[in-house]
Structure formats: C-alpha cells, structure tokens
Amino acid sequence: MNITIKSGLAALALAAFATGAQAADIVVGGKNFTEQQILSAITQQVLEANGHRVDNRAGMGSAAVRQAMENGQIDVYWEYTGTSLITYNNIEEKLDPQQTYDTVKELDAQKGIVWLNPSEANNTYALAMRAADASEKGIASISDLAGAINGGQGLTFGSNAEFYARPDGLKPLETAYGFEFGRANVKRMDTGLVYQALRDGQVDVGLVFATDGRIPAFDFTVLEDDQGYFPSYALAPVIRTEVLEANPDIGDLLNGVAAKLDDQVMAALNASVDVDKVSVENAAAKFLQDNGLN
C-alpha cells in the first residue's frame, strides 16, 4: 500500500470519527405549526444547555412524527392527549382530562412511549368573545352564553364548516348546554377568518383553538367550558422509554418546562412568533430565560 492510499484511508477514518463525535444523542421531533416549532426549539435549547447534543427535526406531519417515534427515528416531542387517545389509539369514549391522560399513558407505554407530566396548556376547541363585549354582557362561561341567548340576546357565532357539521360539533354542544344560536345567527367561514370576523365585530362569538396566539393579540376572552364538553388536548412531552432510561435527566428537564405552560403562556408564545414576528429560536430562548430554565 503506497503512502497516498494510506493517507487517504487515514483521512476517511478521521472524518468518520469526527462525524460520530458530532452525532446527536437526542433527536427532537415536532409537528408543522408554530406552537410545535416553538416547543421543539425550547426542547432543543434546554437539552443543549444541559449537555446533550440535539438534532431538531421539527416540521413533520402529525401522523409522521408519531410513526417516527414508534420506529425509533425520533426520541422526544410534544403531543396532545386527545390526539393520542382518538387518532393513535382509536378510543371514542368521552373521558375527562385526567382519564384521557391516564389512558394514553397506559396505552402508549405498551408501544415504548412514556408520557411525562402534562402541562396546563390545552389546545382544544373553545368559544371566545371580544373581552370588552364579554365583560359588558357578563359572559364568562358557555353556561353564561346559553343564559344570555335563552334570555333573548341574538348573538351571532362564527364557525368553520367542519365544527358546524361534525357529530361532536355545534349541535351537540348546543344540546349539552341547552341553547341554540339559530341557523340565521351562525356564520360559516374558514378557520382563520373567524378570528378576523370576531375582532372586527362581524360576529359576537367565535370558534377558536385555546392556545392560538391571536386570542391575546386580538384581546379575546375564552369562555370557560364549565360542563367539560370539549375533549382534552393537554400538551405534554413524550419520550421513548429506552431513551428516558438512558437519560433520566431529560424527564426532569421537560417536566420543568411543562410546569410553566398554560393556555395563556402558550398563546403569548404563539403570538410573539405569528403576530410580533419574533423568530422561533428567540421566542424559545426568552421563555427559558424568563422562567430560569436555561
């Protein structure tokens, strides 16, 4: 073997070693919308601050990220309890938030997935009103809304077409709370347009997602679902069992993050990116700094 060949092989060996030395020990996944991108960045930054090498693969579809975890291609991401219950485990029974969490924790454990502590952030359907209007009308809950409508107030409702028609959507909600907007008072439109219509006074009540950044940005009040009609979509970190066993500190770190999240905090984070145009990385860094987690 001549010197040139020896040198080339040595260079290849060195490159392989360098590549291995830089390889991530934790692969973070995430779905393809703002909230998930922020959470993936938070996860990456808090893990890196505590000595882990991280490969961040945010931006995947919901089914894809779940399949990647089951296949061992990603190690940790943030999931919603209702999504796992209904979509991944095909449970149609209506459960309360604690039952939902307990059920998915048990079922997913059989697939090598550990649910860490749930946060107080629950990205479920919700009804919202302009804050000033809700205060003036004395409406803080869906029961209050039902009372106002049954008392003769003809309030208009902005809804996407899916929620209007789905079997667990508007009609069952009205039945559960004992009121009816009335066909003429329901305005169907694209989801994004609901927020604009509510902000601009074109409707009195709008269908929203509880952690959407436009809720604080547009000064909306989310009405309390005091009868627990909407399914729970509590946000929690999930991690592969073998990864947690090898890195138990990750459980403590991400439980610490989860403890700082609720609907208002998550909505403000989403708004900072979607409305104020802060980068995902900077929004994540500020959250960690503000909460003493970095």
Side-chain angles (χ1 to χ4, degrees):
M1 183 180 291
N2 62 39
I3 295 175
T4 301
I5 295 175
K6 286 182 179 179
S7 298
L9 291 174
L12 287 172
L14 182 60
F17 175 81
T19 301
Q22 294 299 316
D25 60 357
I26 302 298
V27 180
V28 174
K31 303 184 186 185
N32 55 359
F33 53 93
T34 299
E35 179 165 291
Q36 285 277 314
Q37 292 169 344
I38 294 170
L39 290 164
S40 296
I42 287 172
T43 302
Q44 176 180 0
Q45 291 178 25
V46 76
L47 294 185
E48 288 179 341
N50 287 273
H52 293 280
R53 296 186 302 274
V54 175
D55 178 5
N56 187 344
R57 300 184 187 176
M60 306 171 73
S62 183
V65 73
R66 169 68 178 215
Q67 192 62 52
M69 173 163 274
E70 291 190 10
N71 291 343
Q73 295 169 306
I74 66 166
D75 299 319
V76 60
Y77 77 105
W78 292 73
E79 187 56 273
Y80 305 91
T81 54
T83 301
S84 179
L85 184 78
I86 298 166
T87 304
Y88 305 145
N89 288 294
N90 302 310
I91 304 296
E92 298 181 359
E93 182 184 357
K94 191 174 180 64
L95 304 175
D96 67 30
Q98 187 62 52
Q99 290 173 325
T100 300
Y101 174 78
D102 291 343
T103 300
V104 298
K105 185 177 180 71
E106 179 181 353
L107 292 174
D108 285 345
Q110 300 169 22
K111 303 170 185 177
I113 297 171
V114 176
W115 281 77
L116 299 174
N117 293 350
S119 71
E120 293 295 321
N122 178 20
N123 194 12
T124 188
Y125 281 127
L127 303 188
M129 297 178 66
R130 294 179 297 281
D133 195 31
S135 177
E136 179 183 337
K137 290 179 168 62
I139 299 175
S141 67
I142 302 179
S143 287
D144 293 339
L145 174 67
I149 291 174
N150 290 335
Q153 295 190 43
L155 302 178
T156 54
F157 176 57
S159 171
N160 62 30
E162 179 186 359
F163 185 75
Y164 178 84
R166 60 187 290 162
D168 60 347
L170 178 60
K171 291 303 179 185
L173 171 69
E174 291 175 328
T175 299
Y177 277 95
F179 77 102
E180 187 174 352
F181 281 110
R183 182 182 295 271
N185 288 327
V186 177
K187 314 297 181 183
R188 283 174 281 178
M189 60 192 76
D190 289 342
T191 298
L193 295 179
V194 172
Y195 294 86
Q196 298 176 35
L198 182 58
R199 178 195 61 189
D200 296 342
Q202 296 170 2
V203 294
D204 301 305
V205 184
L207 178 74
V208 300
F209 290 95
T211 60
D212 194 291
R214 287 167 288 190
I215 292 172
F218 295 167
D219 196 23
F220 294 162
T221 290
V222 172
L223 304 185
E224 180 189 356
D225 179 17
D226 51 308
Q227 293 189 26
Y229 173 79
F230 291 115
S232 174
Y233 285 84
L235 183 60
V238 293
I239 185 169
R240 291 197 298 119
T241 304
E242 63 180 311
V243 174
L244 181 61
E245 290 174 349
N247 304 274
D249 65 306
I250 293 179
D252 295 332
L253 292 170
L254 296 185
N255 283 339
V257 173
K260 300 295 185 180
L261 297 175
D262 59 22
D263 287 357
Q264 290 71 35
V265 170
M266 201 67 247
L269 280 167
N270 290 333
S272 71
V273 173
D274 288 335
V275 179
D276 300 331
K277 305 307 179 184
V278 175
S279 72
V280 165
E281 292 75 19
N282 287 344
K286 186 175 187 304
F287 167 82
L288 291 172
Q289 182 177 8
D290 289 349
N291 289 281
L293 295 170
N294 55 356

